């Protein structure tokens, strides 16, 4: 029997709980966005608790729960008599979903995408080499399927191309057999997709990009780890070139 039908108080309590979580989620999203955007700058002392309650339209309990989450993610620090201050960006947990979403909402944040590219330049060539050495047939089929989806898009559909591009790199990281490489792609999936959208739109040649991905795939198929590593390094150099050109054209 559904207890909520026989116990109206339970239904009311559950409803209030869901409402409370929604309010906190909205407060957290808006608060984090204010910090990531620079509106509440690094090193800045936050307004009083009363002012923050008024700004976000929440209760003291909700505000404090929100700030506890932000402390845990390295965004803010509270000290007696010193108040609550915004910590340097270097201490933020950028992989926290709320922080990552806020960062992705800043279209001109070159430093964010540059850091992402640096991580890819370290990890993905090694993942490609590992995949060439140890990928099984199922993994090869998955990478190939993603590559064919990229080629099928023919560059006419930026979104289809970017989604297939993400699938290609995700499958390759998984094929490496290294759980750290695999989890890297999963943890920052949204950031990678946003990055692919930017570089693919800025790409000077769809066919050149497809050719570079094909060289990575062929090296993996032929079990040539160092060739796969070099091919991935070349691919990432071109992606960096496109990204830097895009931001240079924006004057950022």
């Amino acid at each position: 029997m559904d207890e909520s039908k026989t116990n109206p108080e339970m239904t009311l309590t559950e409803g209030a709980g869901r409402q409370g979580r929604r309010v906190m989620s909205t407060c957290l999203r808006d608060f984090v966005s204010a910090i990531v955007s620079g509106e509440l700058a690094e090193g800045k002392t936050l307004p009083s608790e009363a002012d923050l309650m008024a700004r976000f339209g929440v209760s003291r309990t909700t505000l404090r729960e929100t700030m506890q989450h932000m402390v845990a993610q390295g965004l803010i620090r509270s000290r007696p008599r010193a108040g609550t201050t915004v910590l340097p960006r270097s201490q933020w947990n950028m992989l926290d979903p709320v922080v990552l979403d806020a960062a992705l909402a800043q279209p001109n944040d070159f430093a964010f995408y540059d850091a992402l590219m640096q991580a890819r330049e370290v990890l993905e060539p090694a993942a490609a080499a590992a995949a060439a050495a140890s990928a099984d047939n199922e993994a090869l089929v998955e990478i190939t399927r993603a590559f064919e989806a990229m080629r099928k898009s023919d560059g006419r559909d930026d979104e289809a191309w970017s989604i297939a591009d993400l699938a290609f790199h995700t499958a390759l990281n998984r094929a490496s057999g290294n759980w750290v490489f695999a989890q890297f792609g999963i943890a920052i999936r949204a950031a990678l997709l946003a990055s692919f959208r930017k570089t693919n739109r800025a790409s000077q040649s769809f066919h050149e990009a497809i050719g570079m991905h094909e060289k990575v795939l062929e090296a993996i198929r032929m079990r040539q780890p160092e060739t796969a590593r070099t091919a991935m390094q070349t691919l990432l150099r071109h992606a960096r070139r496109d990204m830097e050109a895009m931001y240079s054209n924006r004057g950022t």
Side-chain angles (χ1 to χ4, degrees):
M1 179 181 295
D2 186 347
E3 293 185 21
S4 65
K5 294 180 180 179
T6 60
N7 188 346
E9 291 184 3
M10 179 181 293
T11 302
L12 291 172
T13 300
E14 290 175 350
R18 286 193 294 271
Q19 177 64 21
R21 287 191 293 273
R22 283 195 294 269
V23 171
M24 179 181 170
S25 177
T26 299
C27 177
L28 178 62
R29 185 188 65 239
D30 293 346
F31 208 154
V32 170
S33 179
I35 290 177
V36 174
S37 69
E39 180 185 347
L40 297 174
E42 298 170 44
K44 180 181 178 65
T45 299
L46 295 180
S48 69
E49 189 175 73
D51 288 341
L52 290 172
M53 289 166 56
R55 169 173 177 163
F56 296 112
V58 295
S59 67
R60 179 174 284 103
T61 298
T62 297
L63 178 66
R64 289 180 176 178
E65 290 177 352
T66 298
M67 294 178 72
Q68 285 175 3
H69 180 87
M70 295 170 68
V71 168
Q73 301 309 321
L75 293 166
I76 59 176
R77 177 175 59 200
S78 183
R79 287 181 172 176
R81 295 185 297 277
T84 301
T85 57
V86 179
L87 290 173
R89 186 187 184 105
S90 60
Q91 298 188 38
W92 301 352
N93 177 13
M94 295 299 296
L95 297 184
D96 175 76
V98 179
V99 181
L100 185 56
D101 283 348
L104 291 172
Q106 308 303 313
N108 296 322
D109 190 353
F110 175 77
F112 175 83
Y113 290 101
D114 183 51
L116 177 62
M117 185 61 71
Q118 288 179 34
R120 293 184 63 201
E121 288 166 341
V122 171
L123 295 177
E124 291 196 39
S134 62
D136 58 23
N137 287 336
E138 183 179 351
L140 289 173
V141 168
E142 188 177 4
I143 300 171
T144 302
R145 185 181 297 119
F147 172 75
E148 292 301 333
M150 288 181 64
R151 181 150 57 186
K152 185 178 180 180
S153 76
D154 200 25
R156 289 189 294 266
D157 186 337
D158 285 339
E159 187 64 8
W161 178 11
S162 297
I163 290 173
D165 201 354
L166 175 63
F168 179 92
H169 289 269
T170 300
L172 188 151
N173 288 336
R174 190 159 45 239
S176 71
N178 184 310
W179 70 267
V180 176
F181 294 157
Q183 287 297 314
F184 168 75
I186 294 171
I188 58 171
R189 182 179 178 85
L192 284 173
L193 180 57
S195 175
F196 291 144
R197 284 169 176 156
K198 288 178 178 292
T199 55
N200 288 344
R201 287 169 187 161
S203 178
Q204 297 180 17
S205 170
F206 168 77
H207 296 291
E208 181 184 36
I210 287 295
M212 287 185 288
H213 282 79
E214 187 169 23
K215 287 181 180 179
V216 173
L217 175 58
E218 282 304 308
I220 294 173
R221 282 174 173 165
M222 298 302 293
R223 304 297 184 186
Q224 298 173 334
E226 291 310 311
T227 302
R229 185 193 305 274
T230 300
M232 180 60 78
Q233 289 170 336
T234 299
L235 190 160
L236 292 173
R237 273 199 303 273
H238 279 74
R240 173 174 284 282
R241 177 202 65 188
D242 292 338
M243 182 185 71
E244 291 177 345
M246 179 186 64
Y247 277 99
S248 176
N249 290 338
R250 288 182 179 180
T252 60

